[in-house]
Amino acid sequence: QVQLVESGGGLVQAGGSLRLSCAASESIFNFNSMGWYRQAPGKRELVARITVGGSTNYADSAKGRFTISRDSGVNTVHLQMNGLKSEDTAVYYCNANIRARNDWGQGTQVTVSS
């Protein structure tokens, strides 16, 4: 089955940076939109998303601080997070989406201390 493997989470001070990475299979990477979500009560909320064509979408809270990118050489999606705030603390999940199909990673913890 398709598996998405996240890495890069950790503990940082407010104002610091982290880079999350999500490794995917070649077929998933090339034909799916990829995104990062974080866990909220009852649901996972979108943080950033990138299409196969490179179009990006960000949550308002992430604009200007986070950057999502695709590395086709290693079938990996990155989320560069700068200027982290305590409100960013959450488990972050990698998502691969095409139409109604969604695949999820197991999550990586991001903790921001203030």
Side-chain angles (χ1 to χ4, degrees):
Q1 191 178 14
V2 174
Q3 288 187 328
L4 306 175
V5 182
E6 303 107 326
S7 62
L11 173 64
V12 298
Q13 294 183 345
S17 298
L18 286 173
R19 189 178 75 155
L20 307 184
S21 298
C22 174
S25 69
E26 182 178 2
S27 60
I28 289 294
F29 184 86
N30 288 330
F31 295 100
N32 284 261
S33 296
M34 305 291 294
W36 286 96
Y37 290 68
R38 60 191 177 195
Q39 187 68 46
K43 67 177 182 179
R44 293 174 182 178
E45 298 182 332
L46 176 68
V47 178
R49 190 168 182 264
I50 186 168
T51 68
V52 174
S55 179
T56 57
N57 183 40
Y58 296 93
D60 288 342
S61 61
K63 292 178 180 177
R65 299 189 298 127
F66 296 0
T67 302
I68 189 169
S69 61
R70 303 172 70 102
D71 186 343
S72 60
V74 291
N75 300 321
T76 299
V77 177
H78 302 286
L79 182 67
Q80 179 66 45
M81 303 187 292
N82 299 324
L84 284 163
K85 306 174 181 179
S86 60
E87 301 96 295
D88 297 317
T89 296
V91 177
Y92 284 70
Y93 294 89
C94 181
N95 166 261
N97 168 255
I98 180 169
R99 293 185 176 271
R101 176 176 176 175
N102 284 278
D103 295 305
W104 299 91
Q106 294 187 10
T108 184
Q109 177 70 48
V110 171
T111 303
V112 184
S113 63
S114 60

Short mmCIF file of all heavy atoms in Angstrom, two decimals, residues 1-6 22-29 34 75 94 96 101 103-106:
data_model
loop_
_atom_site.label_atom_id
_atom_site.label_comp_id
_atom_site.label_asym_id
_atom_site.label_seq_id
_atom_site.Cartn_x
_atom_site.Cartn_y
_atom_site.Cartn_z
N GLN A 1 0.84 -1.18 0.00
CA GLN A 1 0.00 0.00 0.00
C GLN A 1 0.89 1.24 0.00
O GLN A 1 2.03 1.19 0.43
CB GLN A 1 -0.93 -0.02 1.21
CG GLN A 1 -2.03 1.03 1.16
CD GLN A 1 -2.96 0.93 2.36
OE1 GLN A 1 -2.65 0.28 3.35
NE2 GLN A 1 -4.08 1.60 2.25
N VAL A 2 0.34 2.34 -0.46
CA VAL A 2 1.07 3.60 -0.49
C VAL A 2 1.41 4.03 0.92
O VAL A 2 0.57 4.00 1.83
CB VAL A 2 0.26 4.69 -1.19
CG1 VAL A 2 0.96 6.04 -1.08
CG2 VAL A 2 0.03 4.33 -2.64
N GLN A 3 2.63 4.46 1.11
CA GLN A 3 3.06 4.98 2.40
C GLN A 3 3.77 6.31 2.21
O GLN A 3 4.58 6.47 1.30
CB GLN A 3 3.97 4.00 3.10
CG GLN A 3 3.26 2.76 3.63
CD GLN A 3 4.15 1.88 4.47
OE1 GLN A 3 5.35 1.80 4.24
NE2 GLN A 3 3.57 1.21 5.45
N LEU A 4 3.44 7.25 3.06
CA LEU A 4 4.10 8.54 3.10
C LEU A 4 4.88 8.62 4.40
O LEU A 4 4.33 8.35 5.46
CB LEU A 4 3.08 9.68 3.03
CG LEU A 4 2.10 9.64 1.86
CD1 LEU A 4 1.07 10.75 1.99
CD2 LEU A 4 2.85 9.77 0.54
N VAL A 5 6.14 8.97 4.31
CA VAL A 5 7.01 8.96 5.46
C VAL A 5 7.47 10.38 5.77
O VAL A 5 8.20 10.98 4.99
CB VAL A 5 8.22 8.05 5.24
CG1 VAL A 5 9.10 8.03 6.48
CG2 VAL A 5 7.76 6.64 4.89
N GLU A 6 7.02 10.90 6.91
CA GLU A 6 7.38 12.25 7.33
C GLU A 6 8.61 12.23 8.23
O GLU A 6 8.85 11.26 8.95
CB GLU A 6 6.23 12.93 8.08
CG GLU A 6 4.93 13.01 7.31
CD GLU A 6 3.90 12.03 7.83
OE1 GLU A 6 4.29 10.92 8.27
OE2 GLU A 6 2.70 12.37 7.82
N CYS A 22 8.51 14.86 3.42
CA CYS A 22 7.59 13.76 3.19
C CYS A 22 8.02 13.02 1.95
O CYS A 22 7.95 13.56 0.84
CB CYS A 22 6.16 14.28 3.04
SG CYS A 22 4.95 13.01 2.58
N ALA A 23 8.47 11.79 2.13
CA ALA A 23 8.89 10.96 1.02
C ALA A 23 7.72 10.12 0.53
O ALA A 23 7.01 9.50 1.32
CB ALA A 23 10.05 10.05 1.44
N ALA A 24 7.52 10.10 -0.78
CA ALA A 24 6.40 9.39 -1.39
C ALA A 24 6.89 8.49 -2.51
O ALA A 24 8.04 8.61 -2.97
CB ALA A 24 5.37 10.38 -1.92
N SER A 25 6.03 7.59 -2.96
CA SER A 25 6.35 6.78 -4.13
C SER A 25 6.37 7.67 -5.37
O SER A 25 5.76 8.74 -5.39
CB SER A 25 5.35 5.65 -4.30
OG SER A 25 4.08 6.15 -4.66
N GLU A 26 7.05 7.22 -6.40
CA GLU A 26 7.15 8.00 -7.63
C GLU A 26 5.77 8.27 -8.23
O GLU A 26 5.49 9.39 -8.67
CB GLU A 26 8.04 7.28 -8.63
CG GLU A 26 8.24 8.05 -9.94
CD GLU A 26 9.17 7.34 -10.89
OE1 GLU A 26 9.65 6.23 -10.57
OE2 GLU A 26 9.44 7.89 -11.99
N SER A 27 4.90 7.26 -8.28
CA SER A 27 3.59 7.43 -8.90
C SER A 27 2.74 8.42 -8.12
O SER A 27 2.04 9.24 -8.71
CB SER A 27 2.88 6.08 -9.01
OG SER A 27 2.68 5.48 -7.75
N ILE A 28 2.77 8.34 -6.80
CA ILE A 28 2.01 9.26 -5.98
C ILE A 28 2.55 10.68 -6.14
O ILE A 28 1.80 11.65 -6.31
CB ILE A 28 2.04 8.84 -4.50
CG1 ILE A 28 1.21 7.58 -4.29
CG2 ILE A 28 1.56 9.98 -3.61
CD1 ILE A 28 -0.28 7.78 -4.51
N PHE A 29 3.84 10.82 -6.11
CA PHE A 29 4.47 12.13 -6.20
C PHE A 29 4.14 12.81 -7.54
O PHE A 29 3.87 14.01 -7.57
CB PHE A 29 5.98 11.99 -6.04
CG PHE A 29 6.71 13.30 -6.03
CD1 PHE A 29 6.85 14.02 -4.85
CD2 PHE A 29 7.25 13.82 -7.19
CE1 PHE A 29 7.53 15.24 -4.84
CE2 PHE A 29 7.92 15.03 -7.20
CZ PHE A 29 8.06 15.74 -6.01
N MET A 34 0.15 17.34 -3.19
CA MET A 34 0.74 16.99 -1.92
C MET A 34 0.53 18.14 -0.95
O MET A 34 0.58 19.30 -1.32
CB MET A 34 2.23 16.71 -2.07
CG MET A 34 2.58 15.66 -3.11
SD MET A 34 2.06 13.99 -2.62
CE MET A 34 3.13 13.72 -1.20
N ASN A 75 11.49 12.44 -4.93
CA ASN A 75 10.05 12.26 -4.70
C ASN A 75 9.65 12.69 -3.30
O ASN A 75 8.99 11.96 -2.56
CB ASN A 75 9.65 10.80 -4.95
CG ASN A 75 9.93 10.34 -6.35
OD1 ASN A 75 9.75 11.09 -7.30
ND2 ASN A 75 10.38 9.10 -6.50
N CYS A 94 1.58 14.52 6.41
CA CYS A 94 1.72 14.63 4.97
C CYS A 94 0.50 14.00 4.30
O CYS A 94 0.01 12.94 4.74
CB CYS A 94 2.99 13.92 4.52
SG CYS A 94 3.30 14.00 2.74
N ALA A 96 -1.36 13.04 0.40
CA ALA A 96 -1.35 12.92 -1.06
C ALA A 96 -2.79 12.77 -1.52
O ALA A 96 -3.51 11.90 -1.03
CB ALA A 96 -0.52 11.72 -1.50
N ARG A 101 -9.40 10.36 -3.43
CA ARG A 101 -8.45 9.51 -2.72
C ARG A 101 -7.48 10.35 -1.91
O ARG A 101 -6.90 11.32 -2.41
CB ARG A 101 -7.68 8.64 -3.70
CG ARG A 101 -6.60 7.80 -3.03
CD ARG A 101 -5.92 6.87 -4.00
NE ARG A 101 -4.83 6.15 -3.38
CZ ARG A 101 -4.11 5.19 -3.96
NH1 ARG A 101 -4.41 4.83 -5.21
NH2 ARG A 101 -3.13 4.60 -3.32
N ASP A 103 -4.20 9.81 0.88
CA ASP A 103 -3.26 8.99 1.60
C ASP A 103 -2.56 9.87 2.63
O ASP A 103 -2.28 11.04 2.37
CB ASP A 103 -2.23 8.36 0.66
CG ASP A 103 -2.85 7.38 -0.30
OD1 ASP A 103 -3.52 6.44 0.16
OD2 ASP A 103 -2.68 7.54 -1.53
N TRP A 104 -2.29 9.29 3.79
CA TRP A 104 -1.73 10.04 4.90
C TRP A 104 -0.50 9.37 5.49
O TRP A 104 -0.42 8.15 5.57
CB TRP A 104 -2.77 10.19 6.02
CG TRP A 104 -4.01 10.91 5.61
CD1 TRP A 104 -5.15 10.38 5.11
CD2 TRP A 104 -4.22 12.33 5.67
NE1 TRP A 104 -6.07 11.36 4.86
CE2 TRP A 104 -5.53 12.57 5.20
CE3 TRP A 104 -3.44 13.41 6.09
CZ2 TRP A 104 -6.07 13.85 5.12
CZ3 TRP A 104 -3.97 14.68 6.02
CH2 TRP A 104 -5.27 14.90 5.55
N GLY A 105 0.44 10.19 5.90
CA GLY A 105 1.54 9.70 6.69
C GLY A 105 1.12 9.55 8.13
O GLY A 105 -0.01 9.85 8.52
N GLN A 106 2.04 9.09 8.95
CA GLN A 106 1.74 8.85 10.36
C GLN A 106 1.94 10.08 11.24
O GLN A 106 1.56 10.08 12.40
CB GLN A 106 2.57 7.69 10.89
CG GLN A 106 2.21 6.36 10.24
CD GLN A 106 2.90 5.17 10.88
OE1 GLN A 106 3.53 5.30 11.95
NE2 GLN A 106 2.79 4.02 10.25
#
